[in-house]
Amino acid sequence: MKSGFKFSDDNKRYYTWNYFLKHKFNEKVFKVSLNAGFTCPNIDGTKGYGGCTYCSSSGSGDFAGNPCMDIKTQFETVKAQMNKKWQGKCIAYFQAHTNTYAPVDILKKTFEPVLDYEDVVGISIATRADCIDDSVLDYLDELSKKTFLIVELGLQSVFDKTGEKINRCHTYAEFVEAVERLRSRNINICVHIINGLPGEDKEMMLHTVRTISQIDIQFVKIHLLHVIENTVMAKQLKDGEFKLLERDEYVDIVCDQLELLPENIVIQRLTGDGDPKTLIGPMWSLKKLVVLNEIDKEMQRRETYQGSKFKRLK
Ligand code: SF4
């Protein structure tokens, strides 16, 4: 059944990543997640130690490739795994840690080998707002002219007090500056936010989305906070410092957020993938399809769509 939403061929009431890929590339495209072995200024002491309080030892790249392999071997290995499920073209996703945290000659040697493969139609690079200096920006500009490029910026929340609590070690103002600099070169941006961070209530999570709905971004990933073993957050949870979101609360918040986002922003994710071996909670998140179905059902019950409550403020 077609939902009536502008960017949907089925019953979705928001602009899905699949819809975007299908219409841009006219065939199935999937991401191949890679771990290029970078670190992060928030781990090595340049900005902070220990990383964000929820960050796993793999630097939020639990399903990315093995950093001991060179990029091409890694790409081929991960892609062969993915091919058991999907056939089609690929976007090489440099996922783990901070993938612009190195000099440009290293970045070139890291990213460009994947462009030798005919089936690679794009590159997606996960990084932090404070790791895009002028030389990196010039290089990303150059790379964006060779392939379809997305720079993925972790924001998580627009509240600096939350940033401090989770040891993010950069401010919202730094994020906005990075967005402006990337967009001055027409580079696509995907923003990551997390629902359920310690100290945040529903109104704060909606405020984050209302705020980013006003800036020039092309993609969003909405994550549910996953608490992973051996993280600072795991201890905070055990000590009762905060509570995990229930599934119904999460569905309600996400539907409100979708209504607040402009209809032309592509939603790359509405849940996260926790590794069941190390996930402490919420355990309901492991049933990802159920969560996505509940979101669809709630949007349908409300008779609402992405962007139905979006207002351009300036
Ligand atoms: S910025 Fe990313 S890689 Fe660095 S500590 Fe935070 S979550 Fe981990």
Side-chain angles (χ1 to χ4, degrees), residues 156-168 197-200 204:
Q156 323 316 0
S157 165
V158 298
F159 291 94
D160 284 344
K161 64 177 177 184
T162 302
E164 280 166 33
K165 213 172 258 170
I166 63 173
N167 196 38
R168 185 79 204 153
L197 290 169
E200 293 220 339
M204 291 170 83

Short mmCIF file of all heavy atoms in Angstrom, two decimals, residues 156-168 197-200 204:
data_model
loop_
_atom_site.label_atom_id
_atom_site.label_comp_id
_atom_site.label_asym_id
_atom_site.label_seq_id
_atom_site.Cartn_x
_atom_site.Cartn_y
_atom_site.Cartn_z
N GLN A 156 25.00 14.11 18.36
CA GLN A 156 24.33 13.41 19.49
C GLN A 156 23.29 14.28 20.19
O GLN A 156 22.17 13.87 20.38
CB GLN A 156 25.33 12.83 20.52
CG GLN A 156 26.63 12.24 19.95
CD GLN A 156 26.51 11.35 18.72
OE1 GLN A 156 25.42 11.13 18.21
NE2 GLN A 156 27.61 10.86 18.19
N SER A 157 23.65 15.53 20.54
CA SER A 157 22.67 16.42 21.18
C SER A 157 23.15 17.85 20.92
O SER A 157 24.34 18.08 20.82
CB SER A 157 22.65 16.17 22.69
OG SER A 157 21.99 17.23 23.36
N VAL A 158 22.20 18.80 20.83
CA VAL A 158 22.65 20.20 20.66
C VAL A 158 22.99 20.83 22.01
O VAL A 158 23.47 21.96 22.05
CB VAL A 158 21.57 21.08 19.95
CG1 VAL A 158 21.31 20.55 18.56
CG2 VAL A 158 20.28 21.19 20.75
N PHE A 159 22.76 20.12 23.10
CA PHE A 159 23.01 20.70 24.42
C PHE A 159 24.45 20.46 24.86
O PHE A 159 24.88 19.32 25.01
CB PHE A 159 22.06 20.07 25.46
CG PHE A 159 20.63 20.47 25.25
CD1 PHE A 159 19.78 19.65 24.51
CD2 PHE A 159 20.14 21.67 25.76
CE1 PHE A 159 18.46 20.03 24.29
CE2 PHE A 159 18.82 22.04 25.55
CZ PHE A 159 17.98 21.22 24.81
N ASP A 160 25.17 21.58 25.08
CA ASP A 160 26.57 21.43 25.51
C ASP A 160 26.67 20.77 26.88
O ASP A 160 27.63 20.06 27.18
CB ASP A 160 27.26 22.80 25.54
CG ASP A 160 27.59 23.27 24.12
OD1 ASP A 160 27.56 22.44 23.18
OD2 ASP A 160 27.85 24.48 23.93
N LYS A 161 25.63 20.97 27.72
CA LYS A 161 25.71 20.34 29.05
C LYS A 161 25.63 18.81 28.91
O LYS A 161 26.25 18.07 29.67
CB LYS A 161 24.66 20.89 30.02
CG LYS A 161 23.22 20.63 29.67
CD LYS A 161 22.32 21.20 30.77
CE LYS A 161 20.86 20.99 30.35
NZ LYS A 161 19.89 21.56 31.25
N THR A 162 24.89 18.34 27.89
CA THR A 162 24.86 16.89 27.64
C THR A 162 26.22 16.46 27.08
O THR A 162 26.78 15.43 27.48
CB THR A 162 23.74 16.52 26.64
OG1 THR A 162 22.51 16.96 27.18
CG2 THR A 162 23.69 15.04 26.37
N GLY A 163 26.76 17.28 26.17
CA GLY A 163 28.08 17.00 25.60
C GLY A 163 29.12 16.81 26.70
O GLY A 163 29.95 15.89 26.65
N GLU A 164 29.04 17.69 27.72
CA GLU A 164 30.00 17.57 28.85
C GLU A 164 29.78 16.28 29.62
O GLU A 164 30.72 15.58 29.98
CB GLU A 164 29.86 18.76 29.79
CG GLU A 164 30.58 19.99 29.28
CD GLU A 164 30.16 21.25 30.02
OE1 GLU A 164 29.85 21.16 31.23
OE2 GLU A 164 30.11 22.31 29.37
N LYS A 165 28.50 15.98 29.85
CA LYS A 165 28.16 14.77 30.61
C LYS A 165 28.66 13.50 29.92
O LYS A 165 29.07 12.55 30.56
CB LYS A 165 26.64 14.71 30.75
CG LYS A 165 26.18 14.11 32.03
CD LYS A 165 24.68 14.25 32.20
CE LYS A 165 24.35 15.38 33.15
NZ LYS A 165 22.97 15.73 33.19
N ILE A 166 28.61 13.48 28.60
CA ILE A 166 29.02 12.26 27.89
C ILE A 166 30.47 12.35 27.40
O ILE A 166 30.91 11.52 26.62
CB ILE A 166 28.06 11.95 26.70
CG1 ILE A 166 28.08 13.06 25.64
CG2 ILE A 166 26.65 11.69 27.21
CD1 ILE A 166 27.28 12.73 24.38
N ASN A 167 31.18 13.39 27.86
CA ASN A 167 32.60 13.58 27.50
C ASN A 167 32.82 13.69 25.99
O ASN A 167 33.73 13.12 25.43
CB ASN A 167 33.43 12.40 28.06
CG ASN A 167 34.91 12.72 28.07
OD1 ASN A 167 35.31 13.85 28.37
ND2 ASN A 167 35.73 11.74 27.73
N ARG A 168 31.95 14.46 25.36
CA ARG A 168 32.00 14.59 23.89
C ARG A 168 33.23 15.43 23.47
O ARG A 168 33.78 15.25 22.39
CB ARG A 168 30.68 15.22 23.44
CG ARG A 168 30.48 15.33 21.97
CD ARG A 168 30.05 14.04 21.31
NE ARG A 168 30.44 14.11 19.91
CZ ARG A 168 30.70 13.09 19.14
NH1 ARG A 168 30.62 11.87 19.58
NH2 ARG A 168 31.06 13.26 17.89
N LEU A 197 20.03 9.90 26.00
CA LEU A 197 21.28 10.20 26.72
C LEU A 197 21.00 10.61 28.17
O LEU A 197 19.94 11.20 28.44
CB LEU A 197 22.05 11.32 26.00
CG LEU A 197 22.66 10.94 24.65
CD1 LEU A 197 23.15 12.18 23.90
CD2 LEU A 197 23.80 9.93 24.83
N PRO A 198 21.92 10.35 29.09
CA PRO A 198 21.70 10.70 30.49
C PRO A 198 21.38 12.19 30.66
O PRO A 198 22.02 13.04 30.02
CB PRO A 198 23.06 10.38 31.15
CG PRO A 198 23.66 9.34 30.27
CD PRO A 198 23.19 9.65 28.88
N GLY A 199 20.39 12.47 31.47
CA GLY A 199 20.04 13.87 31.77
C GLY A 199 19.10 14.49 30.75
O GLY A 199 18.67 15.62 30.92
N GLU A 200 18.76 13.77 29.70
CA GLU A 200 17.90 14.36 28.67
C GLU A 200 16.47 13.84 28.79
O GLU A 200 16.25 12.62 28.90
CB GLU A 200 18.44 14.06 27.27
CG GLU A 200 19.75 14.75 26.99
CD GLU A 200 19.86 15.32 25.58
OE1 GLU A 200 19.11 14.86 24.69
OE2 GLU A 200 20.68 16.23 25.38
N MET A 204 14.05 17.81 25.45
CA MET A 204 15.42 18.11 24.99
C MET A 204 15.71 17.37 23.67
O MET A 204 16.32 17.93 22.75
CB MET A 204 16.44 17.71 26.06
CG MET A 204 16.37 18.61 27.29
SD MET A 204 17.37 17.95 28.64
CE MET A 204 19.00 18.57 28.18
#
